[in-house]
């Protein structure tokens, strides 16, 4: 009877049938050359399922062939291993270790002992491949201590990690004089461990811990001994320990590390920084890349960077001998419960920045409570697959993001991934609309949407818009590309008044430009006129392009006339009057009067107040400050009598009226009254969070203080206006404001 093929023989036959070398299969699968060789030679007779899955992907097996391999492995793993577990061979200390000086100094200080002689156990956790073990070894060897060093691999990511009894027994076997007979119970092992370490203090490195229970018995040792534990998990249940969480290396440390590996004649200036960035500043990834380059003298660092630049190729290329980035991540991934691994794959569609549990939940195909998702994210954090960034925010490291995306691609079709991205996009834009509704008088902010978040108040809505811009702005751009035009125009309209509060965002021209294009695609003249008006504002305020603003304003009036909508005829004429004034052309007052007429017909109180204020601005621009003051006061009185400012939009308009009255009073050389009006404008601007109006009001008040001879207060106002303003920014808005504030600062200095 023929002998059945071993798993290694099956693998070799499949590999040669596919015409693949060991190196080629390693690059395709992410499994190291050494691991594949060990399997084929029979050294590893029952590899983990994660390894088999990776090899099957690399061999491009069909589902039936893959299942056949898995059945064979399961059968072999069912046979219990014979003999003792070998886990006390310490990895070597890295000769070219670099970086981590701050972390190592901290670990050494913990292990060095307090004045009373007691050392603090140290738990080092972090992402796979981040260098936990090498950092621990380096710190231990830098200790000025004569204590023997004991090492034990706790096999935390295997299907059967060491038990507490195996852990203590494994350490006792390394201590001379501890006795040859293995302890039979954990109590016996702990008693002997205490006795041995009381006589001979030791330094212990417990590597790759899975759970607190594995470690606790070891912590009962004599207080003069020291323990370092490494784990992908945080082991939060351990008490009385010091914690070090390792993240990616700092850029300068990464360059130093790569320079110690890659010969100088295989790299050019800038190559190492570029390579470090592509490797995510992860030590394992950089060591693999450096080793591969150094092992092939004809390869240059820049060439290797070019090869791994594509996301699809990067993890497959980060394999060198028995080192593989993807295999390191796979160990943690295979330890996840199905629901958690599904979330891990799902959040790979989040393309940028940090995220919270609500955004993570929005990526899932079926509704899941945010509470459950928070728990799953905590588990992913505990295993080092995602990073906790504080404030209930999480982050996927670039390489882990690629890994998760690869697992998602294995688990679902392209159409399913597109649907997942669309769900997240719709959730984000629905939430954006609900947030913007707090600042729009014609929207009910408390109504719940079919999807997305509702917000308890304007402050929460404002905070969400600013914080999640890294997500909703790409979502809006993607919606425009996908032809989801109704979503784009609705979200953009909801941000209309909020844009006044965040005027220095820097993308309003592009955002309202997208909305104009979507309005045209919908063939809706009213919407197009509306968003052309918003685009006029953005072009004038953000880009300071008055000529283009005038062209857009004239186009907006034409489109509004086609629509016949009085409200849009009011707003487009308002913008036209403003742009005519800004360009020094006639016709501004006439356009503002036309705006007043249409606003009256539409019953738009905010528009009426805005057009009335515009008439005052025309007078101010012509140098008639008294007429400007009269017009602004008349507009203010009309608001008080007809439309008390209860909405955000009207409150903001009233704040601008106080600002304009202060401007007119300053022009009339009545500084005391100007300061009183500015105080009112500032109170409203601060209430609604209008940062730009705050800065403009402070500028007017500083001018009034200078006129009154008070250089000290003028300087304080200018400094406050400059506070938070990016003085190095080249944006037109910041540049214009900065250029008017700095001369006031010089004038204040001359007075003081």
């Amino acid at each position: 009877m023929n002998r059945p093929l071993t798993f290694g023989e099956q693998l070799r036959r499949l590999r040669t049938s596919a015409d693949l070398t060991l190196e080629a299969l390693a690059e395709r699968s992410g499994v190291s050359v050494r691991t594949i060789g060990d399997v084929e030679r029979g050294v590893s007779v029952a590899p983990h399922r994660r390894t088999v899955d990776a090899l099957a992907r690399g061999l491009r097996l069909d589902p039936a062939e893959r299942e056949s391999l898995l059945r064979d492995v399961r059968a072999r793993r069912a046979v219990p291993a014979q003999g003792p577990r070998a886990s006390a061979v310490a990895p070597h200390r890295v000769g070219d270790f670099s970086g981590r000086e701050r972390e190592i100094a901290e670990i050494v200080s913990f292990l060095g002992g307090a004045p009373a002689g007691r050392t603090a156990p140290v738990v080092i956790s972090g992402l796979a491949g981040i260098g936990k073990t090498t950092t621990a070894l380096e710190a231990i060897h830098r200790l000025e201590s004569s204590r023997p060093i004991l090492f034990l691999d706790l096999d935390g990511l295997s299907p059967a990690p060491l038990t507490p009894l195996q852990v203590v027994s494994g350490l006792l076997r390394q201590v001379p004089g501890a006795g040859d007979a293995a302890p039979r119970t954990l109590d016996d092992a702990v008693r002997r461990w205490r006795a041995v370490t009381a006589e001979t203090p030791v330094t212990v490195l417990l590597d790759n811990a899975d759970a607190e229970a594995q470690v606790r018995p070891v912590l009962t040792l004599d207080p003069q001994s020291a323990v370092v534990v490494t784990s992908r998990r945080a082991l939060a249940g351990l008490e009385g320990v010091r914690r070090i969480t390792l993240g990616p290396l700092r850029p300068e440390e990464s360059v130093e590390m790569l320079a110690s590996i890659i010969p100088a004649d295989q790299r050019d200036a800038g190559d190492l920084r570029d390579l470090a960035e592509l490797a995510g500043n992860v030590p394992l990834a950089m060591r693999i890349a450096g080793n591969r380059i150094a092992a092939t003298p004809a390869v240059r660092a820049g060439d290797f960077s070019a090869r791994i630049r594509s996301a699809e190729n990067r993890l497959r290329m980060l394999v060198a001998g028995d080192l593989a980035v993807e295999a390191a991540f796979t160990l943690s991934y295979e330890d996840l419960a199905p629901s958690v691994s599904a979330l891990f794959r799902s959040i790979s569609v989040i393309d940028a920045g940090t995220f919270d549990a609500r955004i993570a939940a929005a990526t899932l195909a079926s509704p899941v409570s945010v509470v459950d998702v928070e728990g799953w994210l905590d588990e992913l954090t505990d295993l080092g697959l995602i990073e906790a960034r504080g404030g209930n925010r999480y982050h996927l490291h670039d390489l882990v993001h690629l890994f998760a995306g690869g697992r998602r691609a294995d688990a679902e079709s392209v159409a399913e991934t597109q649907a997942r991205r669309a769900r997240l996009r719709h959730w984000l834009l629905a939430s954006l609309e609900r947030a913007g509704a707090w600042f729009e008088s014609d929207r009910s902010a408390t109504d719940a949407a079919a999807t997305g978040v509702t917000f308890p108040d304007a402050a929460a809505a404002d905070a969400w818009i600013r914080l999640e811009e890294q997500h909703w702005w790409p979502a809006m751009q993607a919606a425009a590309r996908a032809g989801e035009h109704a979503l784009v125009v609705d979200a953009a309209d909801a941000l209309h008044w909020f844009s006044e509060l965040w005027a220095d965002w820097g993308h309003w021209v592009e955002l309202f430009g997208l909305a104009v294009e979507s309005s045209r695609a919908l063939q809706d003249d009213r919407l197009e006129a509306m968003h052309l008006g918003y685009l006029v504002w953005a072009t004038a305020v953000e880009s300071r392009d008055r000529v283009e603003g005038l062209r857009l304003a004239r186009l907006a009036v034409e489109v509004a006339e086609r629509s016949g909508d009085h409200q849009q005829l009011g707003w487009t004429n308002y913008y036209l009057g403003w742009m005519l004034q800004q360009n020094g052309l006639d016709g501004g007052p006439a356009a503002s009067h036309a705006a007043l007429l249409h606003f009256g017909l539409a019953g738009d109180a905010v528009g009426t107040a805005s057009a009335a204020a515009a008439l005052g601005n025309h007078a101010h621009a012509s140098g008639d400050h008294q007429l400007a003051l009269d017009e602004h006061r008349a507009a203010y009185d009309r608001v008080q009598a007809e439309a008390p400012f209860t909405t955000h939009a009207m409150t903001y308009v009233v704040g601008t009226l106080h600002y304009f009255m202060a401007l007119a009073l300053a022009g009339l050389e009545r500084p005391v009254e100007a300061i009183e009006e500015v105080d009112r404008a500032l109170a409203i601007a601060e209430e609604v969070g209008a940062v730009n109006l705050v800065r403009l009001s402070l500028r007017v008040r500083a001018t009034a203080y200078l006129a009154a001879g008070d250089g000290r207060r003028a300087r304080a106002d200018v400094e406050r206006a400059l506070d938070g303003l990016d003085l190095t920014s080249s944006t037109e808005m910041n540049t214009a404001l900065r250029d008017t504030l700095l001369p006031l600062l010089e004038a204040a200095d001359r007075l003081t």
Side-chain angles (χ1 to χ4, degrees):
M1 189 176 203
N2 292 334
R3 176 180 63 83
L5 294 177
T6 66
F7 180 78
E9 290 168 338
Q10 291 183 64
L11 177 61
R12 184 181 296 108
R13 176 176 292 183
L14 289 167
R15 177 175 63 77
T16 55
S17 296
D19 196 24
L20 294 173
T21 64
L22 283 172
E23 290 76 11
L25 180 55
E27 186 165 322
R28 272 196 190 183
S29 65
V31 179
S32 70
V33 171
R34 182 173 298 180
T35 298
I36 298 172
D38 285 348
V39 171
E40 291 190 357
R41 293 193 307 275
V43 176
S44 175
V45 296
H48 294 303
R49 172 172 180 151
R50 55 183 172 267
T51 303
V52 181
D53 278 337
L55 291 170
R57 284 194 303 273
L59 290 165
R60 296 172 184 168
L61 301 182
D62 61 36
E65 291 173 316
R66 179 182 300 194
E67 185 56 33
S68 175
L69 279 182
L70 288 170
R71 278 199 304 271
D72 184 77
V73 169
R74 282 196 294 268
R76 295 175 190 278
R77 291 183 70 83
V79 179
Q82 302 299 315
R85 301 272 293 273
S87 53
V89 179
H92 68 281
R93 181 186 182 189
V94 176
D96 55 3
F97 185 93
S98 61
R100 301 288 191 208
E101 293 301 324
R102 179 178 58 79
E103 293 90 342
I104 287 175
E106 195 170 1
I107 295 168
V108 169
S109 71
F110 294 151
L111 299 179
R118 176 176 291 276
T119 62
V122 177
V123 175
I124 304 175
S125 58
L127 177 72
I130 210 67
K132 299 180 289 295
T133 304
T134 54
T135 300
L137 283 168
E138 186 66 22
I140 286 173
H141 281 93
R142 291 192 193 182
L143 275 172
E144 294 182 1
S145 172
S146 59
R147 295 179 300 220
I149 298 174
L150 311 183
F151 173 87
L152 198 66
D153 183 352
L154 306 193
D155 220 2
L157 291 169
S158 77
L162 268 61
T163 66
L165 175 57
Q166 288 174 319
V167 171
V168 182
S169 298
L171 292 172
L172 285 170
R173 284 196 298 269
Q174 299 178 51
V175 181
D180 295 330
R184 303 186 64 178
T185 67
L186 181 58
D187 286 344
D188 181 36
V190 170
R191 179 184 54 75
R192 289 167 61 178
W193 175 244
R194 286 175 176 167
V196 165
T197 57
E199 183 176 338
T200 307
V202 294
T203 298
V204 179
L205 173 53
L206 299 177
D207 196 36
N208 196 16
D210 171 64
E212 292 87 345
Q214 287 180 298
V215 175
R216 281 200 179 95
V218 180
L219 302 185
T220 62
L221 78 182
D222 183 84
Q224 294 186 50
S225 294
V227 179
V228 180
V229 182
T230 72
S231 177
R232 298 189 189 188
R233 297 185 178 277
L235 304 182
L238 290 179
E239 57 284 331
V241 302
R242 301 297 188 120
R243 301 184 183 279
I244 301 287
T245 301
L246 297 182
L249 291 178
R250 291 178 282 276
E252 60 275 12
E253 292 178 326
S254 298
V255 169
E256 181 184 354
M257 176 180 177
L258 288 169
S260 69
I261 301 171
I262 301 172
D265 61 356
Q266 287 180 259
R267 50 186 164 89
D268 296 320
D271 282 352
L272 300 188
R273 189 169 292 273
D274 188 34
L275 182 57
E277 185 176 341
L278 288 169
N281 295 296
V282 171
L284 175 62
M286 290 189 293
R287 183 161 295 282
I288 289 171
N291 288 353
R292 290 197 60 173
I293 295 166
T296 312
V299 172
R300 300 188 64 78
D303 299 332
F304 189 81
S305 293
R307 290 184 64 192
I308 69 170
R309 192 171 297 280
S310 73
E312 295 78 10
N313 198 37
R314 196 173 311 167
L315 288 178
R316 295 288 186 262
M317 289 285 294
L318 290 174
V319 177
D322 60 351
L323 300 177
V325 171
E326 189 166 19
F329 295 156
T330 302
L331 288 170
S332 294
Y333 175 74
E334 291 291 339
D335 204 29
L336 300 174
S339 57
V340 183
S341 62
L343 177 68
F344 178 67
R345 295 190 300 270
S346 186
I347 60 177
S348 66
V349 300
I350 301 173
D351 291 326
T354 64
F355 56 91
D356 64 8
R358 294 180 299 184
I359 292 178
T363 68
L364 294 169
S366 302
V368 177
S369 75
V370 172
V371 172
D372 285 342
V373 171
E374 285 176 341
W376 298 344
L377 290 171
D378 287 343
E379 187 168 343
L380 289 170
T381 302
D382 195 36
L383 265 175
L385 285 171
I386 64 174
E387 301 170 76
R389 290 291 183 87
N392 295 319
R393 307 291 294 182
Y394 303 89
H395 179 257
L396 267 177
H397 186 276
D398 288 350
L399 293 181
V400 181
H401 192 279
L402 293 177
F403 174 79
R407 291 298 179 268
R408 187 197 69 241
D410 290 340
E412 65 187 28
S413 67
V414 173
E416 288 172 322
T417 292
Q418 289 174 340
R420 190 181 301 281
R421 290 187 180 278
R423 279 194 301 275
L424 176 59
R425 181 166 69 244
H426 297 166
W427 184 92
L428 287 165
L429 295 184
S431 299
L432 180 64
E433 186 278 330
R434 289 291 76 205
W438 277 99
F439 309 96
E440 295 291 319
S441 55
D442 58 348
R443 293 175 185 253
S444 175
T446 55
D447 290 346
T451 184
V453 181
T454 54
F455 300 90
D457 51 45
D462 182 305
W464 189 91
I465 293 172
R466 295 173 194 261
L467 178 63
E468 305 301 359
E469 177 264 350
Q470 60 191 321
H471 299 295
W472 63 252
W473 175 221
M476 182 172 283
Q477 294 168 304
R481 291 193 299 270
E484 296 169 339
H485 301 301
L487 273 177
V488 173
V489 296
D490 192 41
D493 180 39
L495 290 176
H496 164 222
W497 281 105
F498 181 80
S499 63
E500 294 275 6
L501 308 185
W502 200 17
D504 56 352
W505 174 42
H507 299 289
W508 294 116
V509 170
E510 188 178 354
L511 183 145
F512 290 126
L514 289 178
V516 168
E517 293 300 321
S518 288
S519 301
R520 288 173 182 160
L522 294 170
Q523 298 182 338
D524 190 317
D525 289 335
R526 186 189 70 84
L527 286 176
E528 184 180 345
M530 173 195 300
H531 289 289
L532 277 169
Y534 301 161
L535 184 56
V536 171
W537 171 86
T539 302
V541 171
E542 187 176 87
S543 302
R544 308 289 292 182
D545 190 340
R546 297 168 180 173
V547 174
E548 175 63 7
L550 178 58
R551 184 191 72 80
L552 291 168
R554 286 172 169 156
L555 177 60
V557 171
E558 290 177 17
V559 177
E561 287 172 347
R562 288 203 305 267
S563 76
D565 185 276
H566 284 296
Q567 185 180 43
Q568 294 314 313
L569 280 165
W571 281 113
T572 53
N573 274 286
Y574 166 83
Y575 289 121
L576 177 60
W578 178 35
M579 285 297 96
L580 287 168
Q581 175 203 313
Q582 290 292 305
N583 282 277
L585 300 175
D586 295 332
S592 296
H593 278 294
L596 267 177
L597 173 64
H598 287 294
F599 282 136
L601 292 171
D604 188 332
V606 173
T608 298
S610 300
L615 289 172
N617 290 339
H618 294 309
H620 182 80
S622 67
D624 192 339
H625 303 303
Q626 185 59 55
L627 178 58
L629 181 61
D630 293 341
E631 293 281 10
H632 288 132
R633 278 183 172 161
Y636 179 80
D637 291 341
R638 179 184 298 178
V639 170
Q640 290 288 76
E642 300 177 6
F645 48 104
T646 56
T647 66
H648 165 85
M650 185 59 83
T651 302
Y652 177 80
V653 168
V654 169
T656 62
L657 285 170
H658 284 300
Y659 163 74
F660 289 137
M661 285 188 279
L663 204 59
L665 288 164
L668 291 168
E669 299 182 357
R670 292 155 63 179
V672 175
E673 294 171 81
I675 290 167
E676 291 173 353
E677 286 296 339
V678 170
D679 290 344
R680 298 184 185 103
L682 276 171
I684 292 174
E686 289 167 346
E687 176 190 343
V688 300
V691 175
N692 198 47
L693 182 57
V694 167
R695 288 173 177 150
L696 293 173
S697 299
L698 287 168
R699 184 178 65 183
V700 173
R701 194 167 70 179
T703 303
Y705 278 136
L706 287 173
D710 192 338
R712 182 181 60 80
R713 287 182 175 171
R715 180 180 181 83
D717 274 353
V718 175
E719 287 177 341
R720 185 179 162 196
L722 288 170
D723 185 34
L725 182 67
D726 186 356
L727 298 181
T728 64
S729 171
S730 59
T731 61
E732 293 291 339
M733 181 178 176
N734 276 5
T735 300
L737 187 56
R738 179 187 61 211
D739 290 349
T740 58
L741 286 170
L742 293 179
L744 295 179
L745 198 61
E746 295 172 3
D749 287 341
R750 287 195 296 271
L751 273 179
T752 55

